[in-house]
Every structure is written in structure tokens, then in C-alpha cells.
Amino acid sequence: MKEIFGAAGAPRGNPAAAPPAPAALAAKVRTLAPSMTRSMQRVAEAVAADPAGCAALTVTGLAELTGTSEATVVRTARLLGYPGYRDLRLALAGLAAHQQSGRSPAVTADIAVDDPIADVVAKLAYDEQQTLADTAAGLDMAQLSAAVGALAAARRVDIYGVGASGLVAQDLAQKLLRIGLVAHAHSDPHLAVTNAVQLRAKDVAVAITHSGSTGDVIEPLRVAFEGGATTVAITGRPDGPVTQYADHILTTSTARESELRPAAMSSRTSQLLVVDCLFIGVAQRTYETAAPALSASYEALAHRHTPRGGGTTSRR
């Protein structure tokens, strides 16, 4: 049986996983907060809101500040990727120094029903930029590199996703097909499972689920995992059920949900960033075959982008 890996790429239960850089702490808090207990959320929100102040506190002081226990503080530190509270304090000090030397971003409010369209554009642009920055900061480079290597060497790639994640799955499949890989996206859960049954050691299965708990995505990944295929999960919940069957976990971030901004909007943005990173990484590793394949696909489609007769068209 394959060893199951956690969000940081180390075996599950290993508290000595390499801690994220201080600049990535705020992004990690935003990503993990929804899956934390309420007491752990209070600790995480406190350190993200005031890293300088919390860096000056002992574990007892932070527990008192947040109305929690010392054990909760330590568990929160470990969930965030630090061996213990001492390491978290060092990261908080580094994050505070970084914030003091840089420009603090403006805080945006939720989009309101009566917002002018210019405000909608500005708020969406800010949130999208923050989501992309958070995802980039939180990506485990070792996990990403391993996933790229598996895809580059794959005999066949199956990709599972439903809803908005299904659109992202199609995007990844289309990109891989254009550089010569055999890749298929499956949004129908029955077809996904029947295809997953055929996967073996030289194949790769990719599951895309922001919640990490979508049964129609988890089931085919489980089948592929148990059949010996290399498995990859792209998820916003690195502790979600989907990771039980993932050799490599790529964590995405998302903006805070609101009435007019469902999670699917920002999760799609971060998922597409990860897909693009995978695609470019695979294209780099398979350049000798990828470049001619991509060129051939461009040539095959070129006539579809040229008006018939070679002229220009205009409205009358």
C-alpha cells in the first residue's frame, strides 16, 4: 500500500514537516481556517491579524488572549506547518518585519447589490489577485515538482472534477492533449469510476475538488489509487477526505465567500493557476516532444482563426 502524504508532503502525523515561509502564513491561515475548530480559528485569526503582537507573547499569553488553551495554541501551530509554538513565534516576527517594510494592501468589502460596476471590477480584481498570491505562496514546491514528474512520464492521465472544478479538469486535459499526452477529463461519476478501474502503475489520476469532500471525485481517485496509479489532489482543504488517496497534494486558496461571490468563483481562479503550473512544468520536461505537438496543434487550428478568403470582415 502506498504511503499517504499530508499537505506539506511529509507522512501524515509527522510534525517535523518543513515550515512555510513567514510571508505564506497569512495565506495558510485563510486557506485552513474553514476546517479548524472555532477555538483554533481564534488563534489563527489572531496571529494573522497581529503577527508582531503575537510574536511577543508566550504560549500562555496567546492562549489567554484568544480565550483558548495552551494545547490549542500548539495544535494550531502544528496545523499551520510548524513543529511547535516557538517556530511559529519566529515566523510571526519575520512576517511582522515583512509587513512593516512593505505596503499594506487595501481592505475591500463584500460586493453589494447596489455597487457601481466600477466598484465590482475593482473588488473582484483585488480578490482575484489576493487569491492567486495566496495560492502561489502556499504551494508546496516539492509536491508540485513530483506531480509534474508523474504527469510527464504518464502513459495516460485521467482527471476528475464536477461543477466548476469539472471545467478546470477539462482545461487541464485540453492543455495536456495539445502537448501530446493522452489525457481525459471526467465529470460523469460513473464514467470516471469505470475509467479509473483501468489505471495502473504508469498512469496518473488527478482529482480537483475545492471542498476536498466531493464524493463523485473521491471515489474514482480511490479506485485509481488502489489500482496502483499515481494520484494527485488539487484541493482547498489539505486535510479533507480526498487526500487519503492522494500521493501528491496541491493546495489552493480562495477568497471569502459572500452572497454574490460563491466559493466556486475564487476556487476556480486558484485551481486554474495550479493547472497552468502543471502544464508549463510538464511542457518543460517533455520539451522535445511537447514543442512539435503544440506547433502542430496551432497549425491544425490556424485556418479556423482566419476569415475565409483571407480578407477582413466588417459590420454594415
Side-chain angles (χ1 to χ4, degrees), residues 13 24 116 181 215 226 229 232 243 248 290 305:
L181 273 70
E226 294 178 351
V232 179
T243 61
H248 310 298
H305 301 291

Side-chain angles (χ1 to χ4, degrees), residues 1 24 29 38 54 68 71 73 79 130 162 167 182 204 217-218 223 231 263 271 273 277 295 299:
M1 178 63 69
V29 167
R38 184 62 196 120
C54 291
T68 61
V73 171
L79 182 60
Q130 187 65 58
V162 297
L167 299 177
V182 178
V204 175
V217 172
I218 295 174
V223 172
T231 52
Q271 289 168 351
L273 171 62
C277 291
S295 177
E299 291 178 7

Side-chain angles (χ1 to χ4, degrees), residues 72-95:
T72 297
V73 171
V74 173
R75 283 198 298 270
T76 305
R78 289 180 175 172
L79 182 60
L80 292 174
Y82 301 91
Y85 180 62
R86 175 181 175 277
D87 303 274
L88 175 60
R89 285 184 72 183
L90 291 174
L92 291 176
L95 179 58

Side-chain angles (χ1 to χ4, degrees), residues 2-5 143 225 229-233 243 245-249:
K2 301 176 185 176
E3 187 173 46
I4 299 176
F5 286 80
Q143 292 283 287
F225 179 89
T230 298
T231 52
V232 179
T243 61
Y245 308 110
D247 294 304
H248 310 298
I249 302 170

Side-chain angles (χ1 to χ4, degrees), residues 11-302:
R12 288 185 179 277
N14 175 14
L25 176 60
K28 193 141 193 174
V29 167
R30 282 189 287 268
T31 298
L32 294 177
S35 61
M36 294 179 178
T37 64
R38 184 62 196 120
S39 58
M40 293 176 74
Q41 284 181 5
R42 290 201 297 271
V43 175
E45 290 166 358
V47 300
D50 185 15
C54 291
L57 297 174
T58 64
V59 64
T60 303
L62 184 54
E64 292 176 350
L65 175 69
T66 56
T68 61
S69 65
E70 294 180 11
T72 297
V73 171
V74 173
R75 283 198 298 270
T76 305
R78 289 180 175 172
L79 182 60
L80 292 174
Y82 301 91
Y85 180 62
R86 175 181 175 277
D87 303 274
L88 175 60
R89 285 184 72 183
L90 291 174
L92 291 176
L95 179 58
H98 174 77
Q99 289 178 335
Q100 290 172 1
S101 62
R103 181 175 61 88
S104 299
V107 177
T108 61
D110 290 336
I111 296 173
V113 174
D114 57 352
D115 272 349
I117 193 64
D119 289 354
V120 171
V121 172
K123 290 179 179 181
L124 283 176
Y126 175 82
D127 283 344
E128 298 284 344
Q129 291 167 5
Q130 187 65 58
T131 298
L132 291 173
D134 287 356
T135 298
L139 270 178
D140 186 311
M141 293 300 112
Q143 292 283 287
L144 178 61
S145 180
V148 166
L151 288 170
R155 179 185 70 95
R156 166 181 159 185
V157 180
D158 273 17
I159 309 159
Y160 317 122
V162 297
S165 295
L167 299 177
V168 178
Q170 292 178 30
D171 184 73
L172 177 56
Q174 183 265 345
K175 282 181 165 67
L176 295 179
L177 282 168
R178 292 193 70 176
I179 57 174
L181 273 70
V182 178
H184 304 282
H186 303 285
S187 57
D188 182 293
H190 292 176
L191 286 176
V193 172
T194 55
N195 277 272
V197 170
Q198 308 301 323
L199 300 185
R200 295 295 181 264
K202 293 184 179 180
D203 303 319
V204 175
V206 180
I208 305 176
T209 164
H210 173 66
S211 69
S213 58
T214 306
D216 287 343
V217 172
I218 295 174
E219 180 59 14
L221 191 74
R222 180 192 65 79
V223 172
F225 179 89
E226 294 178 351
T230 298
T231 52
V232 179
I234 300 175
T235 180
R237 301 287 182 265
D239 58 344
V242 72
T243 61
Q244 298 177 64
Y245 308 110
D247 294 304
H248 310 298
I249 302 170
L250 305 176
T251 305
T252 58
S253 182
T254 182
R256 185 163 56 89
E257 293 183 54
S258 65
E259 183 181 9
L260 293 177
R261 184 177 174 80
M265 287 179 63
S266 56
S267 66
R268 180 198 60 211
T269 299
S270 56
Q271 289 168 351
L272 287 172
L273 171 62
V274 174
V275 161
D276 286 350
C277 291
L278 288 171
F279 168 70
I280 294 297
V282 173
Q284 287 176 321
R285 295 202 188 188
T286 62
Y287 185 76
E288 290 187 1
T289 56
L294 193 59
S295 177
S297 70
Y298 276 128
E299 291 178 7
L301 297 173

